[in-house]
Amino acid sequence: MNEHPPMRYHSTVGTSPTTNLDGALRRGLAPDGGLYVPERLPDLRYADLADCRNLAETAERVLAPFFAGSSLADQLGEITREALDLPLPVVEFERGRSWVMELFHGPTAAFKDFAARFLAACMARLRAPDAPVQTIVVATSGDTGGAVAAAFHQRPGFRVVILYPQGRVSARQAHQLGAFGDNVHCFCVAGDFDDCQRLAKQALNDRDLAESRHLTSANSISIGRLLPQITYYAHASVQLFRRTSTAADVIVPTGNLGNALACILAREIGLPIGEVILATNANRTLSEYFSGQDYRGRPGLATLANAMDVGDPSNFERLAWFFRDRDLREVGIQAFSISDEVIRRTIAAVDQSYHMEVCPHTACAVEVLHMRRKYGQFRPHLLAATAHPAKFDEVVEPLLGRAIDPPSALAELLGRPSHAEPMAAQFDDLRRVLDRIASE
Ligand SMILES: *Cc1c(COP(=O)(O)O)cnc(C)c1O
Protein backbone atom coordinates (compact mmCIF):
# COMPACT_ATOMS: atom_id res chain seq x y z
CA MET A 1 0.00 0.00 0.00
CA ASN A 2 1.20 3.46 -0.86
CA GLU A 3 -0.13 5.96 1.67
CA HIS A 4 1.46 9.04 0.08
CA PRO A 5 -0.59 11.69 -1.73
CA PRO A 6 -0.58 11.22 -5.54
CA MET A 7 2.53 12.71 -7.17
CA ARG A 8 2.02 14.80 -10.30
CA TYR A 9 4.78 15.47 -12.81
CA HIS A 10 5.20 18.88 -14.46
CA SER A 11 7.09 19.81 -17.59
CA THR A 12 10.00 22.23 -17.04
CA VAL A 13 8.62 24.28 -19.94
CA GLY A 14 5.27 24.40 -18.20
CA THR A 15 2.73 24.26 -21.03
CA SER A 16 2.08 20.50 -21.17
CA PRO A 17 -0.55 19.18 -18.77
CA THR A 18 0.72 17.45 -15.63
CA THR A 19 0.69 13.67 -15.51
CA ASN A 20 1.32 10.83 -13.09
CA LEU A 21 4.52 8.78 -13.18
CA ASP A 22 3.10 6.40 -15.81
CA GLY A 23 2.60 9.24 -18.26
CA ALA A 24 6.03 10.71 -17.59
CA LEU A 25 7.67 7.30 -18.07
CA ARG A 26 5.75 6.55 -21.26
CA ARG A 27 6.51 9.89 -22.89
CA GLY A 28 10.11 10.44 -21.79
CA LEU A 29 10.07 14.04 -23.01
CA ALA A 30 7.00 16.20 -22.30
CA PRO A 31 4.96 17.16 -25.41
CA ASP A 32 6.06 20.81 -25.03
CA GLY A 33 9.71 19.70 -25.24
CA GLY A 34 10.35 20.11 -21.51
CA LEU A 35 11.64 17.55 -19.03
CA TYR A 36 9.35 15.98 -16.46
CA VAL A 37 9.89 16.97 -12.82
CA PRO A 38 7.98 15.88 -9.71
CA GLU A 39 5.77 18.67 -8.33
CA ARG A 40 7.33 18.36 -4.86
CA LEU A 41 10.06 16.46 -3.02
CA PRO A 42 9.31 14.14 -0.14
CA ASP A 43 10.77 14.73 3.31
CA LEU A 44 13.01 11.91 4.56
CA ARG A 45 15.65 11.90 7.30
CA TYR A 46 18.50 9.64 8.37
CA ALA A 47 16.24 7.98 10.94
CA ASP A 48 13.68 7.07 8.27
CA LEU A 49 16.23 4.95 6.41
CA ALA A 50 18.60 3.85 9.16
CA ASP A 51 17.16 0.33 9.35
CA CYS A 52 17.23 -0.36 5.58
CA ARG A 53 19.48 -3.36 5.01
CA ASN A 54 20.27 -2.93 1.34
CA LEU A 55 19.85 -0.62 -1.64
CA ALA A 56 16.55 -2.18 -2.73
CA GLU A 57 14.98 -1.52 0.68
CA THR A 58 16.29 2.05 0.79
CA ALA A 59 15.03 2.60 -2.74
CA GLU A 60 11.56 1.33 -1.95
CA ARG A 61 11.25 3.82 0.90
CA VAL A 62 12.81 6.77 -0.96
CA LEU A 63 10.79 6.24 -4.13
CA ALA A 64 7.37 5.41 -2.65
CA PRO A 65 6.25 9.09 -2.65
CA PHE A 66 7.29 9.44 -6.30
CA PHE A 67 5.25 6.37 -7.23
CA ALA A 68 2.07 7.49 -5.48
CA GLY A 69 -0.74 7.69 -8.05
CA SER A 70 1.08 5.39 -10.50
CA SER A 71 -0.23 2.01 -11.63
CA LEU A 72 3.21 0.73 -10.58
CA ALA A 73 2.88 1.86 -6.96
CA ASP A 74 2.10 -1.61 -5.62
CA GLN A 75 4.92 -3.16 -7.62
CA LEU A 76 7.63 -0.78 -6.42
CA GLY A 77 9.16 -3.32 -4.02
CA GLU A 78 9.33 -5.92 -6.74
CA ILE A 79 10.86 -3.39 -9.16
CA THR A 80 13.59 -2.27 -6.75
CA ARG A 81 14.44 -5.88 -5.83
CA GLU A 82 14.71 -6.86 -9.49
CA ALA A 83 16.55 -3.80 -10.80
CA LEU A 84 18.69 -2.59 -7.90
CA ASP A 85 20.03 -5.91 -6.72
CA LEU A 86 23.59 -4.80 -7.58
CA PRO A 87 26.62 -4.61 -5.29
CA LEU A 88 27.27 -1.08 -4.00
CA PRO A 89 30.62 -1.12 -2.16
CA VAL A 90 31.60 2.03 -0.28
CA VAL A 91 35.39 1.75 -0.01
CA GLU A 92 37.55 3.79 2.34
CA PHE A 93 39.92 6.10 0.47
CA GLU A 94 41.64 8.48 2.93
CA ARG A 95 41.53 6.85 6.34
CA GLY A 96 38.37 7.88 8.18
CA ARG A 97 37.86 10.92 5.94
CA SER A 98 36.80 9.91 2.45
CA TRP A 99 35.10 7.00 0.78
CA VAL A 100 34.53 5.89 -2.81
CA MET A 101 31.12 4.59 -3.78
CA GLU A 102 31.69 2.06 -6.56
CA LEU A 103 28.81 2.29 -9.01
CA PHE A 104 30.35 -0.05 -11.55
CA HIS A 105 29.39 -3.54 -10.45
CA GLY A 106 26.46 -3.95 -12.83
CA PRO A 107 26.47 -5.95 -16.07
CA THR A 108 28.13 -3.22 -18.16
CA ALA A 109 30.49 -1.88 -15.46
CA ALA A 110 29.21 1.71 -15.34
CA PHE A 111 26.69 3.47 -13.08
CA LYS A 112 24.14 3.69 -15.91
CA ASP A 113 23.21 0.06 -15.21
CA PHE A 114 21.24 1.12 -12.11
CA ALA A 115 19.03 3.53 -14.03
CA ALA A 116 18.67 1.46 -17.21
CA ARG A 117 17.64 -1.64 -15.25
CA PHE A 118 15.15 0.35 -13.21
CA LEU A 119 13.63 1.96 -16.29
CA ALA A 120 13.38 -1.44 -18.01
CA ALA A 121 11.68 -2.98 -14.96
CA CYS A 122 9.13 -0.13 -15.00
CA MET A 123 8.53 -0.19 -18.75
CA ALA A 124 8.05 -3.96 -18.81
CA ARG A 125 5.31 -3.61 -16.16
CA LEU A 126 3.65 -0.65 -17.89
CA ARG A 127 3.32 -2.58 -21.12
CA ALA A 128 0.03 -4.39 -21.82
CA PRO A 129 0.66 -8.12 -22.45
CA ASP A 130 -0.86 -7.97 -25.93
CA ALA A 131 0.78 -4.68 -26.96
CA PRO A 132 2.97 -4.68 -30.09
CA VAL A 133 6.74 -5.04 -29.67
CA GLN A 134 8.27 -1.68 -28.74
CA THR A 135 11.54 -0.57 -30.30
CA ILE A 136 13.84 1.46 -28.10
CA VAL A 137 16.09 3.73 -30.14
CA VAL A 138 19.18 4.77 -28.26
CA ALA A 139 22.07 6.98 -29.37
CA THR A 140 25.17 6.42 -27.29
CA SER A 141 28.65 7.80 -26.79
CA GLY A 142 29.55 4.49 -25.14
CA ASP A 143 28.03 3.62 -21.77
CA THR A 144 24.31 4.35 -22.16
CA GLY A 145 23.83 2.01 -25.11
CA GLY A 146 25.36 -0.94 -23.31
CA ALA A 147 23.38 -0.36 -20.13
CA VAL A 148 20.09 -0.06 -22.04
CA ALA A 149 20.91 -3.11 -24.16
CA ALA A 150 21.76 -5.19 -21.08
CA ALA A 151 18.58 -4.08 -19.33
CA PHE A 152 16.28 -5.00 -22.24
CA HIS A 153 18.24 -7.96 -23.63
CA GLN A 154 15.89 -10.93 -24.16
CA ARG A 155 13.01 -9.03 -22.53
CA PRO A 156 9.78 -10.07 -24.31
CA GLY A 157 7.93 -7.18 -25.96
CA PHE A 158 11.00 -5.02 -26.52
CA ARG A 159 13.82 -4.64 -28.97
CA VAL A 160 16.72 -2.20 -28.86
CA VAL A 161 18.33 -0.27 -31.71
CA ILE A 162 21.73 1.15 -30.71
CA LEU A 163 23.37 3.91 -32.73
CA TYR A 164 27.01 4.57 -31.84
CA PRO A 165 29.55 6.78 -33.62
CA GLN A 166 32.17 4.84 -35.53
CA GLY A 167 35.66 5.24 -34.07
CA ARG A 168 34.47 7.45 -31.18
CA VAL A 169 33.94 4.79 -28.53
CA SER A 170 36.66 2.62 -26.98
CA ALA A 171 37.33 -0.78 -28.56
CA ARG A 172 35.91 -2.51 -25.50
CA GLN A 173 32.80 -0.34 -25.53
CA ALA A 174 32.27 -1.14 -29.22
CA HIS A 175 32.72 -4.86 -28.61
CA GLN A 176 30.31 -4.78 -25.73
CA LEU A 177 27.64 -2.90 -27.72
CA GLY A 178 27.71 -5.50 -30.47
CA ALA A 179 27.91 -8.55 -28.20
CA PHE A 180 24.28 -8.82 -27.06
CA GLY A 181 22.52 -10.05 -30.20
CA ASP A 182 18.97 -11.48 -29.99
CA ASN A 183 16.61 -8.48 -29.65
CA VAL A 184 19.49 -5.95 -29.58
CA HIS A 185 20.44 -4.48 -32.95
CA CYS A 186 23.68 -2.54 -33.05
CA PHE A 187 24.61 0.06 -35.69
CA CYS A 188 27.93 1.76 -36.17
CA VAL A 189 27.17 5.19 -37.65
CA ALA A 190 29.57 7.03 -39.96
CA GLY A 191 29.42 10.25 -37.95
CA ASP A 192 29.86 11.61 -34.45
CA PHE A 193 27.69 11.30 -31.35
CA ASP A 194 25.66 14.39 -32.30
CA ASP A 195 24.77 12.69 -35.60
CA CYS A 196 23.58 9.59 -33.72
CA GLN A 197 21.52 11.70 -31.36
CA ARG A 198 20.03 13.71 -34.23
CA LEU A 199 19.00 10.49 -36.04
CA ALA A 200 17.42 9.03 -32.90
CA LYS A 201 15.53 12.26 -32.16
CA GLN A 202 14.35 12.59 -35.74
CA ALA A 203 12.96 9.05 -35.67
CA LEU A 204 11.23 9.56 -32.32
CA ASN A 205 9.77 12.92 -33.41
CA ASP A 206 8.48 11.52 -36.73
CA ARG A 207 4.87 10.83 -35.69
CA ASP A 208 4.10 8.35 -38.49
CA LEU A 209 7.29 6.41 -38.08
CA ALA A 210 7.19 6.44 -34.28
CA GLU A 211 3.60 5.19 -34.25
CA SER A 212 3.84 2.59 -37.00
CA ARG A 213 7.10 1.15 -35.65
CA HIS A 214 6.22 1.62 -31.95
CA LEU A 215 9.37 3.57 -31.20
CA THR A 216 10.26 4.68 -27.72
CA SER A 217 13.29 6.14 -26.00
CA ALA A 218 15.25 5.24 -22.90
CA ASN A 219 17.51 8.24 -22.96
CA SER A 220 19.03 10.01 -20.03
CA ILE A 221 16.35 12.66 -19.73
CA SER A 222 13.68 10.15 -18.69
CA ILE A 223 12.52 10.69 -15.12
CA GLY A 224 12.73 6.88 -14.86
CA ARG A 225 16.48 7.17 -14.99
CA LEU A 226 16.81 10.08 -12.59
CA LEU A 227 14.74 8.58 -9.76
CA PRO A 228 16.73 5.36 -9.18
CA GLN A 229 19.97 7.33 -9.08
CA ILE A 230 18.74 9.21 -6.01
CA THR A 231 18.63 5.94 -4.12
CA TYR A 232 22.32 5.04 -4.03
CA TYR A 233 23.18 8.48 -2.68
CA ALA A 234 20.49 8.01 -0.05
CA HIS A 235 21.81 4.58 0.89
CA ALA A 236 25.50 5.53 1.02
CA SER A 237 24.93 8.84 2.84
CA VAL A 238 23.00 7.05 5.58
CA GLN A 239 25.76 4.45 5.95
CA LEU A 240 28.42 7.17 6.18
CA PHE A 241 26.44 9.28 8.62
CA ARG A 242 26.21 6.29 10.91
CA ARG A 243 30.03 6.14 10.94
CA THR A 244 30.96 9.82 11.02
CA SER A 245 27.87 11.61 12.43
CA THR A 246 28.53 14.22 9.76
CA ALA A 247 26.81 14.93 6.46
CA ALA A 248 29.54 14.12 3.93
CA ASP A 249 30.28 16.37 0.98
CA VAL A 250 29.82 14.42 -2.26
CA ILE A 251 31.91 14.73 -5.41
CA VAL A 252 30.25 13.51 -8.62
CA PRO A 253 31.89 13.14 -12.05
CA THR A 254 29.48 15.04 -14.29
CA GLY A 255 28.52 15.28 -17.95
CA ASN A 256 24.79 15.65 -18.55
CA LEU A 257 24.17 16.35 -14.85
CA GLY A 258 21.94 13.30 -14.40
CA ASN A 259 23.92 11.50 -11.72
CA ALA A 260 24.82 14.74 -9.92
CA LEU A 261 21.26 16.07 -9.97
CA ALA A 262 20.17 12.82 -8.31
CA CYS A 263 22.70 13.49 -5.54
CA ILE A 264 21.44 17.05 -5.11
CA LEU A 265 17.85 15.77 -4.87
CA ALA A 266 18.87 13.20 -2.24
CA ARG A 267 20.13 16.12 -0.16
CA GLU A 268 17.04 18.28 -0.80
CA ILE A 269 14.86 15.39 0.35
CA GLY A 270 16.63 15.71 3.70
CA LEU A 271 19.32 13.04 3.66
CA PRO A 272 22.74 13.68 5.26
CA ILE A 273 24.68 15.17 2.33
CA GLY A 274 26.65 18.43 2.62
CA GLU A 275 27.96 20.22 -0.41
CA VAL A 276 27.64 18.60 -3.82
CA ILE A 277 30.69 19.19 -5.96
CA LEU A 278 30.54 18.58 -9.70
CA ALA A 279 33.76 17.29 -11.26
CA THR A 280 33.82 17.86 -15.00
CA ASN A 281 36.46 17.23 -17.64
CA ALA A 282 37.73 20.08 -19.87
CA ASN A 283 34.12 20.94 -20.77
CA ARG A 284 33.80 24.10 -18.69
CA THR A 285 30.14 25.08 -19.03
CA LEU A 286 29.31 24.15 -15.42
CA SER A 287 32.52 25.32 -13.74
CA GLU A 288 32.16 28.70 -15.44
CA TYR A 289 28.52 28.97 -14.45
CA PHE A 290 29.11 28.11 -10.80
CA SER A 291 32.03 30.53 -10.63
CA GLY A 292 29.59 33.32 -11.51
CA GLN A 293 29.56 33.55 -15.31
CA ASP A 294 26.39 33.29 -17.41
CA TYR A 295 25.25 29.84 -18.50
CA ARG A 296 26.64 29.26 -21.98
CA GLY A 297 25.90 25.91 -23.68
CA ARG A 298 28.31 24.93 -26.44
CA PRO A 299 29.39 21.85 -28.43
CA GLY A 300 31.13 19.15 -26.39
CA LEU A 301 34.95 18.88 -26.42
CA ALA A 302 36.50 15.42 -26.84
CA THR A 303 38.44 14.38 -23.71
CA LEU A 304 39.83 11.24 -22.04
CA ALA A 305 36.71 11.09 -19.87
CA ASN A 306 34.55 10.70 -22.96
CA ALA A 307 31.28 9.83 -21.23
CA MET A 308 31.31 13.40 -19.90
CA ASP A 309 32.03 15.17 -23.20
CA VAL A 310 29.02 17.42 -22.85
CA GLY A 311 28.95 21.16 -23.47
CA ASP A 312 25.26 21.77 -22.80
CA PRO A 313 24.11 19.42 -20.03
CA SER A 314 20.47 18.52 -20.63
CA ASN A 315 19.58 18.21 -16.95
CA PHE A 316 20.60 21.81 -16.23
CA GLU A 317 17.02 22.72 -17.10
CA ARG A 318 15.77 20.41 -14.35
CA LEU A 319 18.28 21.73 -11.84
CA ALA A 320 17.17 25.29 -12.58
CA TRP A 321 13.52 24.25 -12.15
CA PHE A 322 14.07 22.74 -8.71
CA PHE A 323 15.83 25.90 -7.49
CA ARG A 324 13.62 28.34 -9.38
CA ASP A 325 13.00 30.44 -6.25
CA ARG A 326 16.65 30.61 -5.22
CA ASP A 327 20.01 31.68 -6.58
CA LEU A 328 21.53 28.48 -7.96
CA ARG A 329 24.99 29.70 -7.00
CA GLU A 330 24.04 29.79 -3.33
CA VAL A 331 22.54 26.38 -2.72
CA GLY A 332 25.67 24.36 -1.89
CA ILE A 333 26.77 23.29 -5.37
CA GLN A 334 30.24 23.85 -6.78
CA ALA A 335 31.87 22.75 -10.03
CA PHE A 336 35.49 22.26 -11.08
CA SER A 337 36.94 21.41 -14.47
CA ILE A 338 39.84 18.94 -14.85
CA SER A 339 42.12 18.82 -17.90
CA ASP A 340 43.22 15.65 -19.71
CA GLU A 341 46.76 16.19 -18.50
CA VAL A 342 45.62 16.21 -14.88
CA ILE A 343 43.36 13.19 -15.47
CA ARG A 344 46.40 11.24 -16.67
CA ARG A 345 48.52 12.37 -13.73
CA THR A 346 45.76 11.54 -11.26
CA ILE A 347 45.16 8.01 -12.58
CA ALA A 348 48.87 7.24 -12.10
CA ALA A 349 49.13 8.98 -8.70
CA VAL A 350 46.04 7.30 -7.23
CA ASP A 351 47.43 3.93 -8.23
CA GLN A 352 50.78 4.69 -6.59
CA SER A 353 49.56 6.33 -3.39
CA TYR A 354 46.30 4.50 -2.73
CA HIS A 355 46.64 1.28 -4.76
CA MET A 356 43.34 2.08 -6.38
CA GLU A 357 42.65 1.87 -10.12
CA VAL A 358 40.27 4.59 -11.33
CA CYS A 359 38.66 5.33 -14.69
CA PRO A 360 39.21 8.77 -16.29
CA HIS A 361 35.82 10.03 -15.05
CA THR A 362 36.42 8.98 -11.47
CA ALA A 363 39.89 10.55 -11.68
CA CYS A 364 38.22 13.95 -12.09
CA ALA A 365 36.45 13.44 -8.76
CA VAL A 366 39.65 12.35 -7.02
CA GLU A 367 41.47 15.43 -8.26
CA VAL A 368 38.67 17.66 -6.99
CA LEU A 369 39.07 16.02 -3.57
CA HIS A 370 42.79 16.79 -3.64
CA MET A 371 42.07 20.41 -4.53
CA ARG A 372 39.69 20.69 -1.59
CA ARG A 373 42.23 19.20 0.83
CA LYS A 374 44.87 21.60 -0.50
CA TYR A 375 42.59 24.54 0.28
CA GLY A 376 41.98 23.39 3.85
CA GLN A 377 38.63 21.66 3.42
CA PHE A 378 38.88 18.59 5.66
CA ARG A 379 35.27 17.44 6.03
CA PRO A 380 34.33 13.80 5.23
CA HIS A 381 33.77 13.24 1.53
CA LEU A 382 32.06 10.64 -0.59
CA LEU A 383 33.25 10.20 -4.19
CA ALA A 384 31.14 8.56 -6.89
CA ALA A 385 33.17 6.14 -9.03
CA THR A 386 31.20 5.96 -12.26
CA ALA A 387 32.88 3.22 -14.33
CA HIS A 388 35.28 0.32 -13.92
CA PRO A 389 38.75 1.31 -15.17
CA ALA A 390 38.94 -1.82 -17.36
CA LYS A 391 36.28 -0.24 -19.57
CA PHE A 392 38.77 2.49 -20.44
CA ASP A 393 41.82 0.24 -20.72
CA GLU A 394 43.27 2.19 -23.66
CA VAL A 395 43.69 5.24 -21.41
CA VAL A 396 44.37 3.62 -18.06
CA GLU A 397 46.67 0.67 -18.81
CA PRO A 398 49.57 2.66 -20.32
CA LEU A 399 49.52 4.96 -17.28
CA LEU A 400 49.67 2.05 -14.84
CA GLY A 401 52.08 0.04 -16.94
CA ARG A 402 50.03 -3.13 -16.59
CA ALA A 403 46.83 -4.75 -17.77
CA ILE A 404 43.61 -4.39 -15.77
CA ASP A 405 41.35 -7.41 -15.47
CA PRO A 406 37.78 -6.65 -16.52
CA PRO A 407 35.10 -7.58 -13.99
CA SER A 408 33.45 -10.92 -14.74
CA ALA A 409 30.26 -9.57 -16.33
CA LEU A 410 32.28 -7.37 -18.69
CA ALA A 411 34.73 -10.20 -19.41
CA GLU A 412 31.81 -12.44 -20.31
CA LEU A 413 30.50 -9.90 -22.85
CA LEU A 414 33.98 -9.35 -24.25
CA GLY A 415 34.32 -13.09 -24.78
CA ARG A 416 31.22 -13.26 -26.97
CA PRO A 417 31.30 -12.54 -30.71
CA SER A 418 30.32 -8.98 -31.55
CA HIS A 419 28.51 -7.60 -34.55
CA ALA A 420 27.60 -4.06 -35.59
CA GLU A 421 26.11 -3.13 -38.93
CA PRO A 422 27.54 0.00 -40.59
CA MET A 423 25.07 2.82 -41.23
CA ALA A 424 25.41 6.19 -42.95
CA ALA A 425 24.42 9.22 -40.86
CA GLN A 426 21.27 9.55 -42.99
CA PHE A 427 17.72 9.46 -41.71
CA ASP A 428 16.57 7.38 -44.70
CA ASP A 429 19.03 4.67 -43.75
CA LEU A 430 17.71 4.55 -40.21
CA ARG A 431 14.14 4.45 -41.50
CA ARG A 432 14.97 1.51 -43.77
CA VAL A 433 16.57 -0.33 -40.87
CA LEU A 434 13.55 0.26 -38.63
CA ASP A 435 11.21 -0.98 -41.39
CA ARG A 436 13.32 -4.07 -41.90
CA ILE A 437 13.62 -4.92 -38.20
CA ALA A 438 9.87 -4.50 -37.72
CA SER A 439 9.19 -7.11 -40.40
CA GLU A 440 11.64 -9.69 -39.02
C1 LIG B 1 27.44 8.83 -18.30
C2 LIG B 1 28.70 8.85 -17.50
C3 LIG B 1 29.09 9.97 -16.75
C4 LIG B 1 28.29 11.24 -16.75
O1 LIG B 1 27.07 11.09 -16.10
P1 LIG B 1 25.94 12.24 -16.24
O2 LIG B 1 24.76 11.70 -15.55
O3 LIG B 1 25.75 12.42 -17.71
O4 LIG B 1 26.51 13.46 -15.61
C5 LIG B 1 30.24 9.88 -15.99
N1 LIG B 1 31.00 8.77 -15.99
C6 LIG B 1 30.67 7.68 -16.71
C7 LIG B 1 31.56 6.49 -16.67
C8 LIG B 1 29.51 7.67 -17.49
O5 LIG B 1 29.19 6.58 -18.22
Side-chain angles (χ1 to χ4, degrees):
M1 275 302 291
N2 190 317
E3 74 280 15
H4 301 279
M7 181 72 84
R8 303 296 298 173
Y9 289 80
H10 294 254
S11 158
T12 48
V13 171
T15 46
S16 292
T18 66
T19 174
N20 66 356
L21 182 63
D22 300 15
L25 287 174
R26 283 211 177 89
R27 289 194 198 100
L29 204 63
D32 60 13
L35 310 186
Y36 281 114
V37 280
E39 61 182 345
R40 64 194 139 75
L41 291 175
D43 195 0
L44 280 165
R45 301 293 135 134
Y46 167 77
D48 296 314
L49 301 180
D51 65 329
C52 291
R53 287 165 306 174
N54 53 44
L55 177 64
E57 284 185 15
T58 298
E60 187 176 355
R61 225 169 274 179
V62 170
L63 297 183
F66 296 100
F67 273 65
S70 158
S71 69
L72 299 174
D74 292 339
Q75 299 168 73
L76 176 59
E78 193 186 300
I79 291 169
T80 62
R81 282 189 296 277
E82 174 191 312
L84 303 179
D85 176 27
L86 296 176
L88 182 65
V90 176
V91 178
E92 191 169 60
F93 186 61
E94 301 158 311
R95 180 173 300 221
R97 285 199 302 165
S98 58
W99 289 264
V100 173
M101 172 169 64
E102 295 183 351
L103 296 170
F104 50 70
H105 295 279
T108 70
F111 79 91
K112 293 189 175 76
D113 282 325
F114 288 90
R117 287 162 59 91
F118 188 86
L119 182 65
C122 290
M123 284 173 69
R125 287 167 177 81
L126 279 178
R127 180 178 175 275
D130 55 351
V133 175
Q134 284 186 296
T135 297
I136 294 155
V137 184
V138 55
T140 184
S141 58
D143 287 337
T144 296
V148 170
F152 286 94
H153 183 221
Q154 294 180 336
R155 229 179 231 283
F158 294 94
R159 63 168 82 86
V160 179
V161 169
I162 300 175
L163 307 175
Y164 78 83
Q166 182 176 13
R168 309 285 180 107
V169 306
S170 79
R172 277 192 175 162
Q173 283 176 321
H175 189 104
Q176 183 186 46
L177 292 169
F180 291 95
D182 304 316
N183 62 336
V184 177
H185 306 260
C186 184
F187 297 89
C188 171
V189 176
D192 58 18
F193 173 62
D194 290 332
D195 291 319
C196 296
Q197 203 157 28
R198 176 175 52 75
L199 290 172
K201 269 198 190 144
Q202 206 174 337
L204 290 159
N205 290 337
D206 183 318
R207 278 276 285 279
D208 290 342
L209 185 67
E211 274 173 26
S212 66
R213 298 299 171 223
H214 309 287
L215 304 185
T216 182
S217 89
N219 62 16
S220 61
I221 49 92
S222 168
I223 191 76
R225 287 186 52 176
L226 184 62
L227 295 178
Q229 295 179 160
I230 298 174
T231 68
Y232 44 70
Y233 290 106
H235 193 67
S237 70
V238 164
Q239 276 177 278
L240 275 191
F241 188 78
R242 188 178 298 136
R243 263 192 252 189
T244 64
S245 304
T246 313
D249 293 347
V250 185
I251 308 178
V252 187
T254 302
N256 250 330
L257 255 176
N259 200 11
L261 176 59
C263 179
I264 294 163
L265 295 182
R267 179 185 68 191
E268 297 306 304
I269 284 170
L271 296 171
I273 292 171
E275 288 202 52
V276 177
I277 305 115
L278 317 176
T280 72
N281 56 25
N283 286 280
R284 301 185 55 86
T285 306
L286 291 169
S287 55
E288 288 178 3
Y289 176 80
F290 283 100
S291 69
Q293 300 180 39
D294 288 340
Y295 183 89
R296 187 167 64 81
R298 62 201 88 171
L301 280 178
T303 75
L304 294 176
N306 66 10
M308 316 199 299
D309 291 348
V310 178
D312 193 4
S314 47
N315 275 300
F316 188 81
E317 194 175 317
R318 270 200 182 108
L319 179 68
W321 189 89
F322 280 107
F323 292 97
R324 59 200 178 284
D325 302 328
R326 291 153 78 186
D327 180 348
L328 203 43
R329 273 94 165 216
E330 293 182 1
V331 297
I333 304 172
Q334 297 188 49
F336 299 96
S337 159
I338 308 298
S339 69
D340 273 357
E341 187 195 335
V342 175
I343 289 175
R344 277 201 195 88
R345 206 167 64 214
T346 305
I347 291 172
V350 173
D351 179 49
Q352 273 162 22
S353 309
Y354 297 89
H355 305 293
M356 190 180 272
E357 298 166 342
V358 292
C359 81
H361 314 83
T362 307
C364 294
V366 174
E367 173 58 19
V368 168
L369 176 69
H370 287 151
M371 288 163 59
R372 287 176 64 86
R373 297 306 190 214
K374 205 157 74 192
Y375 293 109
Q377 177 54 265
F378 292 112
R379 295 161 41 78
H381 278 67
L382 178 69
L383 279 64
T386 51
H388 193 287
K391 224 176 166 177
F392 299 90
D393 55 321
E394 289 143 336
V395 178
V396 177
E397 288 183 351
L399 295 167
L400 305 190
R402 61 170 189 276
I404 305 172
D405 288 333
S408 56
L410 183 59
E412 203 266 311
L413 276 173
L414 295 174
R416 289 190 210 168
S418 172
H419 174 73
E421 203 179 308
M423 185 193 286
Q426 304 284 347
F427 184 54
D428 280 343
D429 288 44
L430 176 58
R431 180 197 292 277
R432 256 197 300 279
V433 156
L434 292 170
D435 289 344
R436 188 192 77 210
I437 290 174
S439 64
E440 275 172 6

